[in-house]
Amino acid sequence: MNLFEKMFNYQMMTRLNETGLFTWTSQERAWLRMMLNHPAAPEAINPDTLHKMHDMLDAEQDLDLQDYLTEKAKSEENSVFHPLLKPLRQMILHHQGFRLTGRVRNGRISQDQFGYPYKLEYSMVKKEWYVLWYAPLYNKLMSTKLHSIITAEAQPLHPETASQYAAKIAILTENRKTTLMIEVLPEFNQELSRILYAFSCFEKQVEFVEAQQTYRIELTIPRNEMDYVLSKMRFLGKRVRIADNAALRERMSETAAKVLARYAETELEALPERTSGGVRSHTIEKPFANADGSDSA
C-alpha cells in the first residue's frame, strides 16, 4: 500500500467515525454469527436485540471451526455469563444506584451498601466479572466481584445527583492515573508495532526524537496497573527502558539482579564433560603446593 492509499483510507475512516458508522469485515460478521449461536447468548442479550442481530447476519456464511480445530484434554469451564450482568447493566444504562448486600473478605456479610455503578469488567486472568461503583459515603471507587454479591437492588436517582456522581467518578479516576515515559532503543525501532501492541490497553502518545533516533512512548496508566506494566517491560526485555520514573527503574534493576543471582557461580563447581556414553563429571583440580610454597610440576 503506497502513501496516497494510506492517506485516502485514513480520511475515509475519519469521516465514517464522524458520522457514527462502523465498518466490519466478512470474517468479523461470520465470527459474530458463530458467537450468537453460543448457549449463553440468549441469557446475555435481550431477545429483541438477539433476533435483530440474527436477521442482519442471516445471509452470512457459517464460520465452522470444527474442520480446522480439534479440542483435546479440555478442562472444565465455568460459564462467562452471570445472572447479575443484566440487572447491573440496566442500572448503568439508566443511571441508577443500587443497594448492595454481599460477602467481604473476612467472611462477614455487608448489608445495605449504597453505591452508584458505572462499569462492568471481566478479568481474563481470574475469569471473573467485576462491577465498578462509587461509594458516596466514603467518596471512594470500589470494585466488587459479582460472585460475592448476594443481592443488588436498583435505586432511582435524580438526574442531577447522577451527574454529580459521574463528575466525582471522573475526578477520582483521573487522580488515580500517572504517566510513564518509555524509550525504545534505536536498534529495535523496527519493532515499534510489537512494542505498542504490548501496551495497547493504555492511553499513549508516541514521539520520535530525531537527534537520537529514538521513539519515546508516554503511557497514561492507573496506579494499580503498575505491576502489569512492569511485567510487559520484562517481557520486552532489552528493547525498551523506563526513562523517567526512578522508583520503577529501581524495581526493574532489582528484578534483573535477582534473575542474574540465580545463575551466578559462587564457587568452583564440577563441570560436565560429554562422552560417547553420556555425561561424566570433570572436576577442576588445583595444583599441589610443596612445602616451600612452589607448585609441583
Side-chain angles (χ1 to χ4, degrees), residues 9 31 59 62 64 70 106 203 219 222:
N9 289 343
W31 176 86
D62 291 330
D64 190 5
T70 302
N106 56 7
E203 302 175 18
L219 295 181

Side-chain angles (χ1 to χ4, degrees), residues 106-218:
N106 56 7
R108 66 182 183 86
I109 302 298
S110 177
Q111 297 182 348
D112 200 31
Q113 289 286 331
F114 175 74
Y116 180 75
Y118 63 93
K119 186 182 291 187
L120 289 166
E121 284 188 350
Y122 182 74
S123 172
M124 296 296 294
V125 177
K126 298 182 179 180
K127 306 295 183 182
E128 290 182 320
W129 279 99
Y130 289 78
V131 57
L132 308 184
W133 53 286
Y134 169 68
L137 181 61
Y138 308 105
N139 193 32
K140 290 184 178 180
L141 300 181
M142 311 294 285
S143 176
T144 303
K145 300 177 182 179
L146 295 196
H147 82 265
S148 299
I149 299 176
I150 300 175
T151 59
E153 299 178 0
Q155 295 290 320
L157 295 176
H158 195 276
E160 293 183 359
T161 304
S163 299
Q164 293 176 1
Y165 289 162
K168 291 181 179 179
I169 290 171
I171 294 173
L172 292 174
T173 302
E174 193 65 27
N175 292 338
R176 283 185 170 188
K177 292 182 179 180
T178 186
T179 58
L180 179 64
M181 186 65 68
I182 295 174
E183 287 185 352
V184 181
L185 273 65
E187 56 266 33
F188 297 102
N189 284 347
Q190 68 274 13
E191 299 188 34
L192 180 63
S193 298
R194 175 189 178 184
I195 296 169
L196 291 177
Y197 179 76
F199 301 110
S200 59
C201 56
F202 300 117
E203 302 175 18
K204 52 190 172 296
Q205 296 290 334
V206 182
E207 175 189 7
F208 181 69
V209 183
E210 189 172 359
Q212 303 174 0
Q213 294 294 304
T214 302
Y215 285 100
R216 295 170 66 90
I217 307 171
E218 184 183 45

Side-chain angles (χ1 to χ4, degrees), residues 11-24 56:
Q11 292 177 353
M12 183 179 67
M13 294 302 299
T14 302
R15 293 182 180 179
L16 288 175
N17 291 335
E18 291 175 353
T19 56
L21 296 177
F22 176 75
T23 59
W24 52 349
M56 293 174 60

Side-chain angles (χ1 to χ4, degrees), residues 10-290:
Y10 175 77
Q11 292 177 353
M12 183 179 67
M13 294 302 299
T14 302
R15 293 182 180 179
L16 288 175
N17 291 335
E18 291 175 353
T19 56
L21 296 177
F22 176 75
T23 59
W24 52 349
T25 64
S26 59
Q27 289 85 358
E28 291 172 338
R29 294 192 295 270
W31 176 86
L32 179 58
R33 179 175 179 176
M34 183 183 68
M35 291 296 101
L36 293 179
N37 294 328
H38 193 277
E43 300 177 348
I45 305 175
N46 290 331
D48 294 340
T49 304
L50 185 61
H51 180 72
K52 183 177 180 179
M53 295 177 72
H54 274 298
D55 290 342
M56 293 174 60
L57 301 170
D58 186 56
E60 298 298 327
Q61 296 182 353
D62 291 330
L63 186 63
D64 190 5
L65 301 179
Q66 299 299 325
D67 297 336
Y68 310 100
L69 301 177
T70 302
E71 287 185 305
K72 294 183 178 180
K74 181 179 178 181
S75 59
E76 184 178 357
E77 294 181 351
N78 296 324
S79 175
V80 298
F81 178 77
H82 194 281
L84 287 175
L85 283 175
K86 273 189 177 181
L88 287 173
R89 184 172 58 185
Q90 292 300 317
M91 296 177 198
I92 295 173
L93 290 175
H94 294 92
H95 305 288
Q96 296 177 327
F98 59 23
R99 293 284 179 180
L100 201 64
T101 299
R103 294 176 292 271
V104 295
R105 292 181 179 178
N106 56 7
R108 66 182 183 86
I109 302 298
S110 177
Q111 297 182 348
D112 200 31
Q113 289 286 331
F114 175 74
Y116 180 75
Y118 63 93
K119 186 182 291 187
L120 289 166
E121 284 188 350
Y122 182 74
S123 172
M124 296 296 294
V125 177
K126 298 182 179 180
K127 306 295 183 182
E128 290 182 320
W129 279 99
Y130 289 78
V131 57
L132 308 184
W133 53 286
Y134 169 68
L137 181 61
Y138 308 105
N139 193 32
K140 290 184 178 180
L141 300 181
M142 311 294 285
S143 176
T144 303
K145 300 177 182 179
L146 295 196
H147 82 265
S148 299
I149 299 176
I150 300 175
T151 59
E153 299 178 0
Q155 295 290 320
L157 295 176
H158 195 276
E160 293 183 359
T161 304
S163 299
Q164 293 176 1
Y165 289 162
K168 291 181 179 179
I169 290 171
I171 294 173
L172 292 174
T173 302
E174 193 65 27
N175 292 338
R176 283 185 170 188
K177 292 182 179 180
T178 186
T179 58
L180 179 64
M181 186 65 68
I182 295 174
E183 287 185 352
V184 181
L185 273 65
E187 56 266 33
F188 297 102
N189 284 347
Q190 68 274 13
E191 299 188 34
L192 180 63
S193 298
R194 175 189 178 184
I195 296 169
L196 291 177
Y197 179 76
F199 301 110
S200 59
C201 56
F202 300 117
E203 302 175 18
K204 52 190 172 296
Q205 296 290 334
V206 182
E207 175 189 7
F208 181 69
V209 183
E210 189 172 359
Q212 303 174 0
Q213 294 294 304
T214 302
Y215 285 100
R216 295 170 66 90
I217 307 171
E218 184 183 45
L219 295 181
T220 302
I221 58 177
R223 289 188 177 87
N224 59 350
E225 296 288 350
M226 203 67 73
D227 289 336
Y228 177 78
V229 174
L230 291 178
S231 68
K232 289 297 182 181
M233 293 291 296
R234 299 183 188 105
F235 169 75
L236 294 172
K238 61 181 180 180
R239 297 171 180 83
V240 293
R241 63 185 174 194
I242 300 173
D244 62 346
N245 193 307
L248 293 184
R249 289 167 65 95
E250 182 65 24
R251 289 187 59 181
M252 290 295 294
S253 178
E254 291 177 358
T255 301
K258 290 178 180 178
V259 172
L260 290 174
R262 294 181 180 178
Y263 300 96
E265 293 184 358
T266 58
E267 58 182 0
L268 292 176
E269 298 177 351
L271 298 178
E273 178 184 350
R274 294 193 174 274
T275 64
S276 59
V279 177
R280 184 177 63 221
S281 177
H282 174 68
T283 59
I284 302 177
E285 297 181 355
K286 295 182 180 180
F288 179 78
N290 293 328

